[in-house]
Amino acid sequence: EEGVDAAAMSSNFTSREERRRKEELDEARKAGLAPAELDEDGNEINPHIPQFMAAAPWYLNQNKPGLKHQKAFNLTAEEGGDWYKRGVKTFQATKFRKGACENCGAMTHKKKDCVERPRKKSAAKTGKNIAADELVQDQIALGFDGKRDRYNGYDAEDYGRVVDRYEKAEALKAEVAKRRELERAYRKANRDTAGDVPANAGDGDDASDDDASGSDSDDDAKAADADAEGFMEVKKRVRSAGGGASMTVRNLRIREDTAKYLRNLDLSSAYYDPKTRSMRENPTPQDDPSSQFALQFQGDNVTRKTGETEGFERLNRHAFDAYQKGQEIHMQAAPSQAELLYKQFKEKKEKLSGVTKDAILAKYGNAAATEPAPEGLLLGQTEGYVEYDRAGRGIKGQ
């Protein structure tokens, strides 16, 4: 082994002079002064190909120059359209044979594999109606693409029946439409000949046909309107629990509205990010803060104080307090129960507050309801003049 390695090393070793001559030959080939190098098949090798592409890997054992290592070496023959033949019969026997299927009499399968309907009297007993032997076809070797070709073995003539059925249906529709048109023209001609018959006294079928045609035109108009309305819809991906889901989202900005990046054209105004279409500041902070445009830049926390959010927050607070006091209530586990208990709590609270108010009024009375309050009590001053001594006793006046 050491001798073989030494021989290989000596064969791969090149002296300085040999390397210089090889470089000169390569330069001459690139300049066109020397003929190009030939590979095993006699084809010329382009001298301008880089060395890292022209050199073959060591494990290919390619001693002669060439570019075979750059080509696919495991090419397989292209697969044909072979498929299993269907419904092919080979031999038709006239009497039952030993070892054949007991149900139908064919030799190519057994009774447990028979696909015919189980006979009341099998072919093994009667010896009649013997089924023909099927064609036992060899296994077809298919590659990766052949196994996954859904149209392999498909007969295009089978689709002819679908085309024939469609053409018959279209011909029938055309015939019915032509008959209706002729009947409508005939009834219109009869109305024109009878002068004493009013124009709207036609047959009920004619009126229904006119209504049908009118409804068809209305449907077409509605469809056109629906297509016209779709220009505001934008297709985009929306985040969901199972990943991105493509759905239709309506663009809420009307085309006549001024874009927010055009509100203030000053370069030092609010920054607009065109990629995310977001402007995180109000471009016109000097305008009225209660305007509809200014409300868009107040953030999402503003929506927490609008609508039913406050009531929902009170409901959550009540459920939390009730749970802390020992009641079996949970807003997320049983929201209907929590809402019902909160409703009962509000009714009891209103009733209790009413009872407390009635008790206070019954004990202390309601002076505001019986007689009006004095003017001095309401206004805090009167026209009366009173003098007092140092002890606070009245000396003069009322």
Side-chain angles (χ1 to χ4, degrees):
E1 293 179 357
E2 294 179 357
V4 173
D5 294 340
M9 291 177 62
S10 62
S11 62
N12 294 332
F13 176 78
T14 55
S15 63
R16 182 182 301 177
E17 187 68 20
E18 291 176 352
R19 286 198 301 270
R20 185 181 62 79
R21 286 198 299 267
K22 184 178 180 181
E23 292 177 358
E24 292 178 355
L25 181 59
D26 292 340
E27 293 295 333
R29 286 173 177 171
K30 291 180 181 180
L33 302 178
E37 190 178 7
L38 302 179
D39 59 1
E40 297 179 358
D41 300 331
N43 300 322
E44 294 183 354
I45 301 176
N46 189 350
H48 298 282
I49 295 178
Q51 198 271 341
F52 73 91
M53 295 178 60
W58 60 269
Y59 51 82
L60 294 181
N61 296 325
Q62 185 175 340
N63 298 324
K64 296 184 180 179
L67 297 176
K68 282 188 175 182
H69 60 279
Q70 294 287 350
K71 300 179 181 179
F73 58 89
N74 55 351
L75 292 177
T76 57
E78 186 177 356
E79 297 178 0
D82 298 335
W83 196 246
Y84 299 100
K85 299 179 181 179
R86 302 173 182 173
V88 179
K89 306 296 183 181
T90 55
F91 177 72
Q92 177 67 54
T94 56
K95 62 179 181 179
F96 184 78
R97 295 161 292 178
K98 185 177 180 181
C101 175
E102 298 178 0
N103 184 42
C104 65
M107 286 291 294
T108 51
H109 62 269
K110 299 297 180 181
K111 182 179 179 180
K112 64 178 182 179
D113 300 327
C114 186
V115 296
E116 280 196 11
R117 177 181 58 85
R119 301 182 183 181
K120 186 176 182 180
K121 294 182 179 180
S122 61
K125 296 181 180 179
T126 60
K128 299 178 181 179
N129 298 327
I130 305 297
D133 298 342
E134 297 92 352
L135 175 65
V136 179
Q137 193 170 356
D138 296 335
Q139 186 73 18
I140 298 178
L142 297 175
F144 182 86
D145 295 333
K147 292 179 181 179
R148 292 157 179 80
D149 186 7
R150 64 177 62 186
Y151 286 104
N152 195 359
Y154 173 73
D155 189 4
E157 296 180 357
D158 294 342
Y159 193 72
R161 293 175 294 180
V162 179
V163 176
D164 294 341
R165 184 169 63 251
Y166 176 77
E167 291 178 352
K168 290 179 181 179
E170 290 296 323
L172 185 60
K173 290 180 182 179
E175 184 179 355
V176 172
K178 185 176 181 181
R179 188 185 305 114
R180 287 184 178 178
E181 187 66 26
L182 292 176
E183 292 177 356
R184 190 180 297 109
Y186 178 73
R187 285 194 295 267
K188 184 177 180 181
N190 290 340
R191 286 200 305 268
D192 294 341
T193 54
D196 55 345
V197 179
N200 58 354
D203 195 0
D205 297 337
D206 189 14
S208 63
D209 293 340
D210 296 339
D211 295 340
S213 61
S215 63
D216 294 339
S217 61
D218 294 342
D219 294 340
D220 296 338
K222 290 179 181 178
D225 293 341
D227 295 339
E229 291 175 358
F231 77 96
M232 291 296 290
E233 294 182 354
V234 179
K235 291 282 188 178
K236 72 176 186 178
R237 298 187 67 81
V238 181
R239 290 184 178 179
S240 60
S246 180
M247 60 183 66
T248 302
V249 180
R250 184 169 293 276
N251 188 5
L252 299 180
R253 188 179 75 82
I254 306 175
R255 291 172 179 263
E256 287 77 11
D257 290 348
T258 305
K260 51 190 174 184
Y261 54 83
L262 297 178
R263 293 278 181 171
N264 190 354
L265 300 180
D266 188 7
L267 296 178
S268 60
S269 63
Y271 173 72
Y272 175 75
D273 188 8
K275 184 176 181 180
T276 59
R277 298 182 182 180
S278 60
M279 181 178 288
R280 298 172 178 82
E281 297 179 8
N282 189 356
T284 56
Q286 67 279 1
D287 293 350
D288 185 11
S290 61
S291 62
Q292 185 66 25
F293 180 77
L295 292 176
Q296 299 178 3
F297 296 92
Q298 293 184 0
D300 296 335
N301 291 331
V302 179
T303 59
R304 297 182 181 180
K305 302 298 181 181
T306 59
E308 300 179 356
T309 54
E310 294 183 358
F312 184 72
E313 185 179 354
R314 286 194 293 268
L315 175 59
N316 280 313
R317 192 182 306 115
H318 170 263
F320 179 76
D321 295 341
Y323 180 78
Q324 292 292 333
K325 294 179 182 179
Q327 294 189 13
E328 294 295 334
I329 179 174
H330 198 279
M331 184 59 193
Q332 283 73 29
S336 301
Q337 178 190 8
E339 186 175 0
L340 182 60
L341 292 177
Y342 180 60
K343 184 178 180 181
Q344 295 176 358
F345 168 75
K346 289 194 299 182
E347 293 176 355
K348 291 180 180 179
K349 185 177 181 181
E350 292 176 0
K351 187 182 296 184
L352 183 60
S353 61
V355 171
T356 305
K357 182 179 179 181
D358 294 340
I360 293 174
L361 293 177
K363 184 176 182 179
Y364 298 100
N366 189 1
T370 56
E371 57 184 8
E375 184 179 358
L377 182 61
L378 293 176
L379 301 177
Q381 60 184 359
T382 61
E383 296 296 335
Y385 178 76
V386 181
E387 292 184 3
Y388 300 93
D389 58 2
R390 292 183 178 182
R393 294 184 294 267
I395 300 174
K396 186 180 178 181
Q398 298 180 353

